[in-house]
Amino acid sequence: MTWQEIFSRTGTYLTVLSAAVVALSLVANATGFGAGFQTFALLVLPVALLVGFGTYFRLIEADIEDAWLVIGMNRLRHAYIELAPELEPYFVASHHDDAPGLLKTYSFRTRVGITHWLSGSPVVVGIINAVVTGVLAAVICEAAGAGDTLRTIIASATAVATAIGLGFLGYRKVREVTRVYKARFPS
């Protein structure tokens, strides 16, 4: 169910964002990127970002919940092995509830690389949110009459700051949970 929610929430956000982009392109075509477009963009992009930020934080929470469920399954396997040790060779997933056991069950590896982390739903949604935040900053600068160079600098800085901020908040939430966790059946 957790994976279904992750995919559903991500799909919903991408649908909302796609609809916003299509609507923005239609309005841009009709108004020639004039004041009407800016007004519409200033109304639509914050709504898309609200959905995007909500999606990002829910994905972080869902990943944490999924890890707890894996820990629970690992503990159940541990109980089976305590009851019938001869079953151990038949389990392909871990029966330990520590970080290495969690990784073995998740990915059947002892460690995962950067490509595994970068391809995760929260990271992808976070990057998209950062880009949309940068675009919103550019629209705000355009509406305020900023020049091209200043608009580009502010939009880029906003996107980078958003990516760093979301990464920090996501990491802090995961770290908060892992800091207090104590494995009962370590490797």
Side-chain angles (χ1 to χ4, degrees), residues 97-112:
D97 63 347
D98 57 0
L102 183 69
L103 275 177
K104 182 178 178 187
T105 298
Y106 256 127
S107 63
F108 298 101
R109 298 178 249 182
T110 56
R111 52 187 291 270
V112 293

Side-chain angles (χ1 to χ4, degrees), residues 125-143:
V125 167
I127 290 170
I128 293 169
N129 283 339
V131 170
V132 174
T133 305
V135 170
L136 179 59
V139 172
I140 291 169
C141 287
E142 179 71 24

Side-chain angles (χ1 to χ4, degrees), residues 15-175:
T15 300
V16 167
L17 186 58
S18 296
V21 169
V22 168
L24 285 168
S25 67
L26 291 172
V27 171
N29 190 39
T31 64
F33 290 99
F37 171 79
Q38 290 172 0
T39 302
F40 187 73
L42 291 171
L43 292 171
V44 169
L45 288 176
V47 172
L49 275 174
L50 177 65
V51 175
F53 288 142
T55 300
Y56 175 77
F57 291 115
R58 182 60 194 125
L59 293 178
I60 297 291
E61 293 291 335
D63 276 355
I64 291 168
E65 291 167 13
D66 193 48
W68 278 110
L69 294 172
V70 169
I71 287 169
M73 290 185 292
N74 286 3
R75 287 180 177 178
L76 288 173
R77 277 188 287 280
H78 188 84
Y80 283 130
I81 290 172
E82 282 183 348
L83 293 172
E86 68 276 6
L87 293 177
E88 186 172 5
Y90 299 103
F91 288 110
V92 295
S94 180
H95 60 277
H96 299 287
D97 63 347
D98 57 0
L102 183 69
L103 275 177
K104 182 178 178 187
T105 298
Y106 256 127
S107 63
F108 298 101
R109 298 178 249 182
T110 56
R111 52 187 291 270
V112 293
I114 191 75
T115 57
H116 179 86
W117 295 110
L118 287 177
S119 64
S121 296
V123 173
V124 171
V125 167
I127 290 170
I128 293 169
N129 283 339
V131 170
V132 174
T133 305
V135 170
L136 179 59
V139 172
I140 291 169
C141 287
E142 179 71 24
D148 292 346
T149 303
L150 181 60
R151 182 179 64 230
T152 302
I153 290 169
I154 290 174
S156 299
T158 301
V160 170
T162 301
I164 291 169
L166 289 175
F168 172 76
L169 291 171
Y171 175 79
R172 190 175 81 179
K173 183 64 179 173
V174 170
R175 184 75 184 129

